[in-house]
Amino acid sequence: RVLAHTQISKVGLRQKKAHLMEIQVNGGNVAQKVDWGFSLFEKKRSIDTIFSQNEMIDTIGVTKGHGTQGVISRWGVTRLPRKSHRGLRKVACIGAWHPARVSWTVARRGQKGY
């Protein structure tokens, strides 16, 4: 795999930090892949020399982290009425009496995103 980054200053955004990506190298044995990657080291490459037009690529990414959130922000649950007792940004019913446990399908608060 080859680590590559963008030249974010040429995009014209307020962002200063470059995007870093890991690109898989296919073809040949390990030594040839290492030599090809080493030949590209510290050189500018345009995107059309790496990828062709309409080429299918696989991407892997992670979501942006949002910390601990409640059920309204995390799952999009509807708020309870204004006069509800003990808060209104909750799930009204988290399950039946039996089985005496909360199902994993019930929306609960927790980590939102990565």
Side-chain angles (χ1 to χ4, degrees):
R1 297 179 187 269
V2 175
L3 287 175
H5 69 86
T6 58
Q7 292 178 319
I8 201 72
S9 61
K10 294 188 176 183
V11 177
L13 299 174
R14 288 177 34 183
Q15 182 175 346
K16 302 267 192 267
K17 192 174 182 181
H19 299 104
L20 185 66
M21 65 197 85
E22 193 173 330
I23 302 171
Q24 181 175 339
V25 179
N26 294 326
N29 58 15
V30 176
Q32 291 172 337
K33 292 178 186 180
V34 170
D35 291 338
W36 183 79
F38 194 71
S39 68
L40 298 176
F41 191 66
E42 293 292 329
K43 292 182 182 172
K44 295 179 184 177
R45 303 293 288 188
S46 62
I47 196 71
D48 57 353
T49 61
I50 308 294
F51 301 111
S52 61
Q53 183 71 25
N54 296 328
E55 182 179 358
M56 296 293 288
I57 59 172
D58 293 328
T59 59
I60 300 171
V62 294
T63 59
K64 186 175 181 179
H66 295 277
T68 304
Q69 296 291 328
V71 289
I72 303 223
S73 173
R74 191 174 181 213
W75 299 107
V77 176
T78 307
R79 280 182 30 184
L80 293 175
R82 177 182 60 85
K83 288 182 154 185
S84 61
H85 186 54
R86 294 195 184 118
L88 48 86
R89 297 180 62 90
K90 297 173 178 260
V91 175
C93 179
I94 60 172
W97 190 294
H98 288 293
R101 67 189 74 82
V102 179
S103 175
W104 64 272
T105 58
V106 177
R108 306 287 276 167
R109 67 171 180 84
Q111 179 71 28
K112 181 179 176 185
Y114 183 65

